[in-house]
C-alpha cells in the first residue's frame, strides 16, 4: 500500500461517526451603523491610513509628480495613469527597490480593516508585499461588515492567488514592542472613493 | 519517567525579574485577546461554530482530504503524503535535489519544527533560513522557538541585540527594537530575492477549492513564496476545512485569539502556481491518525494553533516554553505530545494546574484541561508516571473512593499542619518551592456545612 492509502485508511477507520455542519445564522453576526467609519477606525488603529476621496484626479497628479522625481513606482490601475506591461514577469531582484505601488482592491471589511485583492488586480503577486509603500483604492459601497459578507462576494478559486491585507507589515517579536515595517510594506494607505 | 518539565522550569524561574516579565507580558496578550473577543457580541457563538465545523470535518476527514487532493491537483499543485517526520523530510529533500536548489527560505511552520526538518537538511549540508523575525532570532542562537506564535518571547531585547551584533554586525548595546527589526529586514530581503525555494506552513486548506491559506503579520511567507521558483507548503492533515465560506469563521477567530488583532496583516490564499512556478503540498500524518482513533483525545486535532491556551496558562507563563522540551509547548502540546511518544512526554500532562482557563479561551472549544486529566490516568495505567506522582495519585484515588477514610485523613492533616507546620513547609515537599503553604483551616468544609448549613436551613 502507498503512504497515501495507509493514511486515508487509518483515517477512515478512526474517524468518528458523521456529525452535521452548523448553520451560520447571519442574523447573529454583528452589523455596523456605518461600515466606512468602522473600517477607517479599525484600520487606523492597526497602523493603516484611510482617506475618503471624491474622484481620482489627486492620485493621477501624485503619480505624475513621482515619475518626474524619478521615484520607482508601479501603477496597476488604468483609471489613474499608464500601466506598464508586462508586470507579471518582474522578479524579486528587479522589484527590490520598488517604492510605491497602486492597486485596486475588490472590497474592504469593516470589522478588521482588511482589503481583498486578487491576482488580476495586483498583476504580479509580489507587488503588494515587496513595495515600501502600498496604496490601495476601493469604492465606498464595496465595504462590507464582516468576513462572512466578504466571502459571499469573492470567489477565492477564480484567480491563482488572492490576499486580505490589513495595514502595513508589522512584528512584535522583540519584547512585544510593535514595529511597523517587518518584511512587507512600511505603510499602507487605502483611498476610499465615494 | 524523569520530572523533566519541573527540572527544566527550575532553570527558567531562577531569574525572577525575567520570569515576572514573561508572566506579565503573556498575560497582557491574553487581555488583548479578551478585548478583541468582547468587541463581537457573537463571540461565543463564533467559537461554537468553529468547534462544530471542526467536529464535522473530523467526522468526514478522509473524504475531505481526497476532495482537497483532487482539486489541488486539478489546479496544477503537486500533492505528497508523508506517514511521519522522516518521510516528510525525505520528500522535501528530493524536491531540493531534483531542482538543484541552493537557497532556501522558510516561514513559520510548527509542523517542520515537529519533523525537525532544519536539522535533517543541515545533516545533508543544506541551509534553511528562517524568515519570521522571532524564528530568525532563535535560529541564530541555536535554540528552538519557545512559543508557537511568539517564538522568541523568552528573550529580552538585550539578548536580541547581542545576537544581532554577533551575526548581523549591529551596533553593540543598541537595544532599540525598531533598529534591530530594520537590520533583520535588510538582511532577510537579500535572502528573499536570492531564494530558489520557499517553504511555508498552512493555516487552512480548503477541500472545496483545493487552495490553502497562510496567515502572517510580517509578510515573510509571501516574500518567499512569490519570489522563489518552487514553493513547498507543509500541513498536518487536520488543517482541512470543508468550504471557503468557513474561512470567514476561522479568520475571525484566529488573530483575535492569538494576539487580539482583528485579523493578521496578510491572509494569503494560494490557489494555483504562478506562471513558471511549482507548488508542492506535503500532507503529514505523524501520529495524527492514531490520535483521531483515541476517543478521549481526538478533539485535540481541532486546534488552529492560536496559542491562546499558552498565554492564559499559569504554568506556561511561569515556566517558559523550553521547559516543555517539544516543538509545540503549552497546554495543547501537553495533549498532543504524549500521543507521539508517551514515555518521553509522560511529564507534560502533569505540567498543569487543571484550572481550565485553556478550555475557556480555546476558539474551537477543545476540552484541553479534561484531556490533560485523562492523559494522567492513561500514563499511570501504562506505568510511565514517576514514583512519587504514582503513589500520590493512587493514594488520592483510594481516599476519594472511601469517604470515611478521606474525612479522617483530612482531620489528621489539618491537625498535623497546625501543630507541625514544618512537616509540609520543608524543602522535600516540592509543592512548597516558590509557594507559601496556606494556614490550614480549623475545620473541614463538611464539618462547617454540617454545623452552619443546618442552622441556615432551620431559619
Ligand atoms: S488548543 Fe485551542 S487555544 Fe490552544 S492553540 Fe489550539 S486552538 Fe488555540
Amino acid at each position: 500500500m502507498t503512504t497515501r492509502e495507509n493514511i486515508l485508511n487509518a483515517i477512515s477507520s478512526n474517524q468518528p461517526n458523521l456529525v452535521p455542519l452548523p448553520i451560520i445564522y447571519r442574523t447573529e453576526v454583528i452589523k455596523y451603523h456605518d461600515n466606512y467609519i468602522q473600517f477607517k477606525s479599525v484600520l487606523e488603529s492597526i497602523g493603516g491610513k484611510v482617506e475618503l476621496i471624491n474622484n481620482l484626479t489627486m492620485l493621477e497628479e501624485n503619480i505624475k509628480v513621482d515619475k518626474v522625481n524619478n521615484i520607482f513606482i508601479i501603477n496597476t490601475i488604468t483609471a489613474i495613469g499608464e500601466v506598464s506591461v508586462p508586470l507579471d514577469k518582474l522578479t524579486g531582484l528587479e522589484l527590490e527597490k520598488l517604492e510605491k505601488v497602486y492597486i485596486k482592491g475588490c472590497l474592504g471589511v469593516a470589522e478588521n480593516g482588511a482589503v481583498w485583492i486578487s491576482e488580476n488586480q495586483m498583476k504580479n503577486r509580489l507587488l503588494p508585499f515587496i513595495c515600501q509603500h502600498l496604496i490601495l483604492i476601493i469604492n465606498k459601497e464595496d465595504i462590507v461588515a464582516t468576513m462572512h459578507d466578504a466571502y459571499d462576494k469573492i470567489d477565492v478559486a477564480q484567480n491563482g492567488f488572492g490576499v486580505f491585507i490589513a495595514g502595513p507589515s508589522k512584528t512584535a517579536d522583540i519584547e512585544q514592542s510593535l514595529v511597523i515595517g517587518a518584511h512587507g510594506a512600511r505603510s499602507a494607505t487605502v483611498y476610499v472613493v465615494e | 519517567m524523569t520530572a523533566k518539565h519541573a527540572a527544566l522550569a527550575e532553570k527558567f524561574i531562577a531569574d525572577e525579574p525575567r520570569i515576572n516579565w514573561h508572566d506579565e507580558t503573556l498575560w497582557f496578550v491574553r487581555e488583548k485577546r479578551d478585548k478583541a473577543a468582547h468587541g463581537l457580541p457573537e463571540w461565543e457563538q463564533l467559537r461554537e461554530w468553529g468547534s462544530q465545523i471542526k467536529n464535522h470535518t473530523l467526522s468526514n476527514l478522509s473524504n475531505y482530504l481526497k476532495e482537497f487532493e483532487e482539486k489541488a491537483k486539478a489546479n496544477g499543485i503537486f500533492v505528497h503524503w508523508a506517514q511521519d517526520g522522516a518521510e516528510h523530510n525525505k520528500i522535501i529533500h528530493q524536491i531540493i535535489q531534483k531542482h538543484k536548489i541552493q537557497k532556501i527560505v522558510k516561514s513559520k511552520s510548527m509542523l517542520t519544527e515537529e519533523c525537525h526538518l532544519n536539522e535533517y537538511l543541515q545533516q545533508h549540508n543544506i541551509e534553511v533560513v528562517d524568515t519570521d523575525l522571532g524564528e530568525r532570532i532563535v535560529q541564530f542562537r541555536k535554540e528552538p522557538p519557545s512559543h508557537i506564535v511568539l517564538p522568541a518571547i523568552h528573550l529580552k531585547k538585550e539578548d536580541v541585540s547581542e545576537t544581532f551584533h554577533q551575526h548581523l554586525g549591529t551596533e553593540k548595546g543598541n537595544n532599540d527594537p525598531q533598529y534591530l527589526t530594520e537590520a533583520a529586514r535588510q538582511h532577510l530581503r537579500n535572502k528573499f530575492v536570492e531564494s530558489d525555494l520557499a517553504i511555508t506552513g498552512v493555516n487552512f486548506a480548503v477541500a472545496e477549492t483545493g487552495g490553502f491559506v497562510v496567515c502572517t503579520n510580517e509578510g515573510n511567507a509571501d516574500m518567499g513564496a512569490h519570489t522563489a521558483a518552487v514553493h513547498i507548503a507543509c500541513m498536518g492533515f487536520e488543517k482541512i476545512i470543508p468550504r471557503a465560506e468557513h474561512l470567514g469563521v476561522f479568520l475571525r477567530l484566529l488573530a483575535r485569539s492569538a494576539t487580539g488583532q482583528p485579523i493578521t496583516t496578510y491572509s494569503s490564499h494560494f490557489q494555483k502556481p504562478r506562471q513558471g512556478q511549482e507548488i508542492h503540498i506535503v500532507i503529514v500524518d505523524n501520529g495524527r491518525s492514531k490520535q483521531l482513533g483515541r476517543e478521549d483525545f481526538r478533539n485535540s486535532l481541532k486546534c488552529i494553533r492560536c496559542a491562546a491556551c499558552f498565554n492564559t496558562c499559569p504554568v506556561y507563563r511561569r515556566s517558559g516554553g523550553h521547559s516543555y522540551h517539544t516543538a509545540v509547548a503549552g497546554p495543547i502540546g501537553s495533549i498532543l505530545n504524549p500521543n507521539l511518544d508517551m514515555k518521553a512526554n509522560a511529564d507534560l500532562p502533569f505540567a498543569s494546574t487543571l484550572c481550565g482557563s485553556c478550555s475557556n479561551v480555546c476558539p474551537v472549544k477543545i476540552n484541553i484541561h479534561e484531556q490533560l486529566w485523562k492523559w494522567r490516568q492513561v500514563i499511570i495505567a501504562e506505568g510511565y508516571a514517576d514514583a512519587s506522582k504514582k503513589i500520590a495519585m493512587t493514594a488520592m484515588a483510594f481516599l476519594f473512593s472511601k469517604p470515611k477514610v478521606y474525612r479522617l485523613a483530612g482531620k489528621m492533616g489539618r491537625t498535623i499542619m497546625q501543630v507541625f507546620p514544618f512537616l509540609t513547609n520543608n524543602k522535600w515537599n516540592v509543592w512548597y518551592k516558590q509557594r507559601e503553604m496556606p494556614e490550614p483551616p480549623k475545620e473541614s468544609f463538611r464539618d462547617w456545612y454540617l454545623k452552619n448549613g443546618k442552622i441556615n436551613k432551620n431559619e
Side-chain angles (χ1 to χ4, degrees), chain A residues 172-184:
Chain A
D173 274 349
I174 302 175
E175 269 199 15
Q176 277 296 289
S177 11
L178 180 69
V179 178
I180 302 283
H183 298 301

Side-chain angles (χ1 to χ4, degrees), chain B residues 148 257 300 302-310 331-332 335 358 361-366 368:
Chain B
I148 57 174
S257 299
S300 59
K302 292 159 69 180
C303 174
I304 59 171
R305 301 287 192 271
C306 72
C309 58
F310 290 50
I332 183 66
I335 51 184
C358 44
V361 296
C362 177
V364 287
K365 291 196 164 182
I366 300 172
I368 308 168

Side-chain angles (χ1 to χ4, degrees), chain A residues 50-142:
Chain A
V50 182
E51 229 178 281
L52 196 60
I53 53 174
N54 286 319
N55 57 58
L56 302 171
T57 344
M58 183 193 77
L59 300 177
E60 263 176 87
E61 285 307 312
N62 289 352
I63 291 177
K64 278 186 199 147
V65 172
D66 282 347
K67 284 200 170 151
V68 168
N69 292 326
N70 260 331
I71 293 172
F72 183 9
I73 69 158
I74 287 181
N75 171 37
T76 64
I77 311 166
T78 41
I80 55 170
E82 199 192 323
V83 178
S84 44
V85 275
L87 287 172
D88 57 328
K89 294 282 179 324
L90 293 174
T91 65
L93 274 168
E94 291 164 316
L95 294 171
E96 201 186 353
K97 298 276 180 294
L98 178 63
E99 200 58 29
K100 290 185 194 170
V101 63
Y102 289 79
I103 303 173
K104 179 85 173 44
C106 181
L107 54 81
V109 186
E111 69 163 321
N112 57 26
V115 173
W116 172 260
I117 36 179
S118 66
E119 186 164 26
N120 66 344
Q121 291 169 316
M122 66 186 93
K123 315 287 187 213
N124 178 320
R125 295 184 188 185
L126 202 47
L127 291 182
F129 305 97
I130 202 166
C131 62
Q132 300 290 329
H133 303 283
L134 175 64
I135 298 137
L136 299 172
I137 296 151
I138 55 171
N139 295 328
K140 196 175 175 202
E141 71 223 28
D142 292 332

